[in-house]
Amino acid sequence: MGEGVLRFDVRRVDGSTVDASSDVLAVEEPLEIRIAVDGGIPTTVSLTMRTPGDDVDLAAGYLFTEGIVRRREDILGVHPCSSGAIRVELATGNMSDLSRLDRHSFTSSSCGACGKRSTAALRATPVWTLRTDAPTVDVELVRRLPALLREAQRLFAATGGLHASALFDLDGRLTILREDVGRHNALDKVIGAELLAGRLPADERILIVSGRVSFELVQKALMAGIPIVAAIGAPSSLAVELARESGMTLLGFVRAERFNVYAGEDRLA
């Protein structure tokens, strides 16, 4: 099997029939993210449960969306240490306060904000403010996004058990997609890849996420300068409040026939 999936023997029960079969499952494994300043002793800043693959992007995106690094130049290098750890080399003097990363426990695949010790620790200051002059997106493109996303979800097609985050340009072309058992990990992988490639802020692209959209996903999108966020599922109340406060366009329950506009209607053509 490819990276990120494993095949397991199972018993399939269909009515009164029980048959031996197999099933392809998404892999969930821990990743320890360590940081080191100018070759110093590495410090563990996160232990997150993720689907293996794109770990370099995940580590870079996590540190960026948490506000620990502020630009591509802050990262001198990202080095896998083992199958379950990765080390990020940071430039001297470019780190933010590491107390932002304080958690009571590890980060599960279901919640990137779990374990934060205060609500203040949930907020990070974006490098960029969202543009008010552009872009606008055609309503018909919004309606096509779920199908475009599903077509590109290779691992979901095999397992049915992975979240996805993807960036599209204003003409509906897919620019990047990442999958993971964790919603927040999938988005960190997207943002980390764009950071390392020097393509942030993503101020002329649309983010679509495969499930619901929470405060943490809106916060991460805001850190990357993404002006339009669409979700297959529902937003949370705090996600809507943050989107309205920051001038972001937030769409939920996006389907081929309909969607809800929770914030930023002025960006819809």
Side-chain angles (χ1 to χ4, degrees), residues 231-251:
I232 303 298
S236 69
S237 62
L238 201 56
V240 173
E241 291 174 11
L242 180 58
R244 292 179 176 180
E245 173 190 319
S246 59
M248 177 184 289
T249 296
L250 181 60
L251 314 173

Side-chain angles (χ1 to χ4, degrees), residues 20 34 48 67 87 118 148 161 165 189 220 236:
R34 306 167 182 166
T48 186
R87 185 180 79 255
S118 70
L148 294 173
S165 289
K189 288 178 177 181
K220 290 177 184 294
S236 69

Side-chain angles (χ1 to χ4, degrees), residues 139 142-144 146 231-232 251-262:
V139 168
V142 173
R143 291 174 176 150
R144 292 185 2 241
I232 303 298
L251 314 173
F253 295 109
V254 179
R255 302 290 187 276
E257 306 83 14
R258 60 177 175 82
F259 58 88
N260 292 347
V261 183
Y262 292 93

Side-chain angles (χ1 to χ4, degrees), residues 11-262:
R11 305 286 284 179
R12 294 195 186 277
V13 179
D14 186 358
S16 60
T17 303
V18 180
D19 294 315
S21 185
S22 65
D23 198 11
V24 178
L25 303 181
V27 176
E28 182 178 29
E29 293 179 348
L31 177 69
E32 183 181 357
I33 300 176
R34 306 167 182 166
I35 61 173
V37 182
D38 285 345
I41 298 174
T43 300
T44 298
V45 296
S46 176
L47 180 62
T48 186
M49 302 301 293
R50 97 302 187 198
T51 299
D54 305 302
D55 287 342
V56 168
D57 297 340
L58 173 58
Y62 172 80
L63 293 175
F64 178 77
T65 59
E66 288 285 343
I68 301 305
V69 300
R70 306 287 290 169
R71 55 185 181 175
R72 171 64 183 88
E73 292 74 20
D74 293 348
I75 299 176
L76 300 179
V78 186
H79 312 286
C81 305
S82 65
S83 59
I86 196 161
R87 185 180 79 255
V88 184
E89 298 285 347
L90 300 180
T92 302
N94 287 333
M95 285 194 309
S96 298
D97 181 7
L98 289 183
S99 66
R100 286 190 42 76
L101 295 175
D102 262 357
R103 300 179 187 273
H104 290 301
S105 60
F106 70 89
T107 307
S108 73
S109 58
S110 62
C111 178
C114 296
K116 289 290 192 180
R117 298 191 179 188
S118 70
T119 55
L122 294 175
R123 301 294 294 265
T125 303
V127 178
W128 308 282
T129 56
L130 296 183
R131 292 170 52 183
T132 57
D133 59 332
T136 58
V137 60
D138 189 272
V139 168
E140 292 305 315
L141 171 56
V142 173
R143 291 174 176 150
R144 292 185 2 241
L145 287 176
L148 294 173
L149 180 68
R150 179 60 63 87
E151 288 173 7
Q153 288 181 256
R154 178 182 60 85
L155 295 181
F156 180 85
T159 66
L162 285 162
H163 290 285
S165 289
L167 288 175
F168 288 84
D169 68 17
L170 300 180
D171 293 320
R173 289 185 292 263
L174 175 67
T175 59
I176 185 171
L177 179 143
R178 294 289 186 266
E179 295 180 274
D180 200 276
V181 287
R183 291 187 306 272
H184 57 287
N185 287 340
L187 184 50
D188 276 341
K189 288 178 177 181
V190 165
I191 292 174
E194 296 300 280
L195 172 71
L196 294 174
R199 292 192 294 261
L200 294 183
D203 55 1
E204 292 193 351
R205 281 173 284 171
I206 308 160
L207 170 68
I208 181 166
V209 298
S210 60
R212 65 182 180 86
V213 59
S214 60
F215 167 88
E216 61 172 331
L217 295 191
V218 171
Q219 168 80 1
K220 290 177 184 294
L222 185 60
M223 293 293 288
I226 300 170
I228 302 170
V229 175
I232 303 298
S236 69
S237 62
L238 201 56
V240 173
E241 291 174 11
L242 180 58
R244 292 179 176 180
E245 173 190 319
S246 59
M248 177 184 289
T249 296
L250 181 60
L251 314 173
F253 295 109
V254 179
R255 302 290 187 276
E257 306 83 14
R258 60 177 175 82
F259 58 88
N260 292 347
V261 183
Y262 292 93

